[in-house]
């Protein structure tokens, strides 16, 4: 099997008392898109920052293309930055307001000494065309562009070096709903055309349904379920994923009627003091006594690649087998 482009093992990131990420493992293969989904406060953005080394992990390892980069110095990391790029949520604040679009998109080419300034213009023009922008835009400043156009510039900058991995952190959530779909379609087309791997971070499960090959659902610093996208959408195993999916809009009214809406009470508890046992027990409609004390492991009941961290998914291993009538269908 090919070496994964990204491998994260037992990642922990604590900010003082805040346990933002608490033992998370995942891999992304070549050309694969992983949708990392969770509510605000789940720690999903912290994972992206750790991958790019914008923040130092507390423990665990991060491997890019087979190389352990967890403790590399900034200097040693520099050549690897060619292969990993980020697309940010807010396309406005992530673009230097005083730089022209040409300067912004050519900056990675010049920083990594791929070409000289005079040669870069052609590459920038080709890249802008790829993201659906006219080359006349090269001389404009970011404030002269719409939000959707600015995010296209952000994509052009991230992709101009043809990276192996793109970390996209909520790339469409700051955009008007009317332009979200066109930017998502563009990302899908670019990914298929250029073949980069992608860690796509989002709070909205429906955003990644047609883009991601696999989904990982995060809750309070941990993955609670992961699996191939179609399988996870057809048969979510964890009560949290079931609740997220039941709240997502369904375009087909017949399917919408079939879907029972599960409303979760309360907010995500503070990562300063996550609940003991299963972290989801304070909001889980199916919680039982043992959930308050025993943390369920991420397990696939059929030994496949669709594990979930819930005692009800593996009833034979349930810590409280005495509770009757509580099983999940999958
Ligand atoms: Fe709900 Fe218990 Fe399963 Fe956690 S382990 S998701 S609290 S049923």
């Amino acid at each position: 099997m090919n070496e994964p482009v990204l491998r994260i093992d037992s990642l922990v990131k604590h900010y003082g008392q805040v346990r933002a990420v608490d033992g998370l493992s995942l891999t992304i293969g070549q050309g694969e898109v992983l949708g990392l989904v969770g509510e605000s406060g789940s720690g999903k953005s912290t994972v992206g920052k750790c991958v790019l080394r914008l923040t130092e992990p507390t423990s665990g390892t991060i491997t890019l293309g087979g190389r352990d980069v967890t403790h590399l110095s900034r200097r040693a990391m520099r050549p690897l930055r060619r292969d990993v790029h980020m697309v940010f949520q807010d396309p406005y604040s992530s673009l230097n307001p005083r730089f022209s679009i040409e300067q912004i998109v050519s900056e990675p080419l010049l920083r990594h000494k791929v070409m000289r300034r005079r040669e870069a213009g052609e590459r920038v023009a080709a890249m802008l065309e790829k993201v659906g922008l006219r080359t006349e835009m090269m001389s404009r400043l970011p404030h002269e562009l719409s939000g959707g156009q600015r995010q296209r510039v952000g994509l052009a900058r991230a992709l101009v070096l043809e990276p192996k991995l793109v970390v996209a952190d909520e790339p469409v959530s700051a955009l008007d709903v009317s332009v979200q779909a066109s930017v998502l379609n563009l990302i899908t087309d670019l990914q298929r055309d250029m073949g980069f791997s992608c860690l796509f971070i989002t709070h909205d499960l429906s955003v990644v349904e047609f883009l991601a090959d696999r989904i990982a659902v995060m809750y309070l610093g941990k993955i609670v379920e992961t699996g191939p996208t179609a399988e996870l959408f057809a048969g979510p195993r964890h009560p949290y994923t079931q609740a997220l999916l039941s709240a997502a809009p369904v375009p087909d009214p017949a399917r919408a009627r079939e879907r029972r809406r599960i409303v979760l009470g309360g907010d995500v508890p503070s990562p300063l003091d996550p609940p003991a046992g299963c972290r989801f027990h304070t909001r889980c409609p199916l919680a039982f006594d043992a959930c308050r004390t025993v943390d369920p492991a991420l397990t696939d009941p059929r030994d496949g690649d669709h594990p979930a961290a819930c005692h009800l998914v593996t009833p034979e291993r349930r810590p409280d087998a005495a509770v009757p009538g509580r099983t999940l269908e999958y």
Side-chain angles (χ1 to χ4, degrees), residues 5-33:
V5 171
L6 171 68
R7 175 187 289 282
I8 299 179
D9 284 305
S10 309
L11 178 69
V12 172
K13 176 64 191 179
H14 293 175
Y15 295 99
Q17 302 291 306
V18 178
R19 292 152 70 170
V21 180
D22 227 357
L24 174 142
S25 301
L26 59 82
T27 57
I28 302 184
Q30 290 181 12
E32 186 176 45
V33 180

Side-chain angles (χ1 to χ4, degrees), residues 136-158:
E136 298 95 88
M137 298 229 167
M138 282 170 62
S139 55
R140 304 256 182 97
L141 294 171
H143 77 265
E144 298 176 271
L145 272 53
S146 69
Q149 288 171 331
R150 285 198 288 262
Q151 195 54 298
R152 285 168 194 262
V153 172
L155 277 168
R157 178 182 57 183

Side-chain angles (χ1 to χ4, degrees), residues 63-313:
T63 314
L64 288 170
R67 182 158 181 207
D68 183 349
V69 300
T70 325
H71 303 293
L72 283 190
S73 66
R74 273 175 185 272
R75 195 190 167 87
M77 227 4 234
R78 213 174 289 151
L80 291 170
R81 292 204 184 280
R82 231 187 116 154
D83 291 331
V84 190
H85 279 265
M86 180 135 188
V87 180
F88 296 90
Q89 174 176 8
D90 180 352
Y92 196 57
S93 63
S94 67
L95 304 179
N96 189 325
R98 285 169 295 132
F99 281 10
S100 70
I101 303 308
E102 179 172 7
Q103 285 172 310
I104 289 169
V105 179
S106 62
E107 189 271 338
L109 295 167
L110 305 179
R111 181 160 33 98
H112 289 279
K113 300 192 171 56
V114 175
M115 52 183 66
R116 292 171 203 273
R117 190 175 295 280
R118 23 190 164 81
E119 301 148 352
E122 239 173 73
R123 175 80 79 91
V124 171
M127 199 60 234
L128 288 183
E129 236 169 78
K130 252 191 172 157
V131 299
L133 293 174
R134 294 190 314 277
T135 45
E136 298 95 88
M137 298 229 167
M138 282 170 62
S139 55
R140 304 256 182 97
L141 294 171
H143 77 265
E144 298 176 271
L145 272 53
S146 69
Q149 288 171 331
R150 285 198 288 262
Q151 195 54 298
R152 285 168 194 262
V153 172
L155 277 168
R157 178 182 57 183
L159 298 176
V160 74
L161 285 171
E162 302 186 352
K164 296 196 173 90
L165 174 68
V166 173
V167 178
D169 189 0
E170 301 271 16
V172 298
S173 61
L175 303 176
D176 282 351
V177 175
S178 57
V179 292
Q180 282 185 359
S182 64
V183 174
L184 266 181
N185 288 339
L186 173 67
I187 296 174
T188 309
D189 291 346
L190 290 167
Q191 194 276 329
R192 291 193 181 141
D193 181 35
M194 300 175 74
F196 52 84
S197 307
C198 183
L199 175 64
F200 194 106
I201 298 166
T202 176
H203 69 283
D204 183 352
L205 200 45
S206 59
V207 158
V208 279
E209 181 171 6
F210 300 106
L211 173 67
D213 300 297
R214 281 189 303 130
I215 307 270
V217 179
M218 265 188 97
Y219 188 79
L220 271 182
K222 291 190 171 196
I223 290 178
V224 296
E225 178 167 2
T226 177
T229 306
E231 199 179 314
L232 186 135
F233 269 80
R237 289 179 168 167
H238 195 281
Y240 179 56
T241 317
Q242 292 175 349
L244 288 183
L245 265 178
S246 81
V250 182
D252 175 355
R255 267 179 70 201
R257 269 198 299 278
E258 278 168 24
R259 196 181 271 180
R260 195 167 44 92
R261 177 126 202 227
I262 305 166
V263 180
L264 292 179
D267 295 324
V268 182
S270 165
L272 259 174
D273 186 18
C278 172
R279 292 180 173 202
F280 187 52
H281 84 250
T282 54
R283 298 170 79 199
C284 181
L286 301 172
F288 55 102
D289 278 354
C291 302
R292 289 177 247 288
T293 49
V294 185
D295 191 9
L298 202 53
T299 317
D300 186 324
R302 295 181 184 157
D303 294 326
D305 59 352
H306 181 182
C310 170
H311 298 308
L312 298 177
V313 168

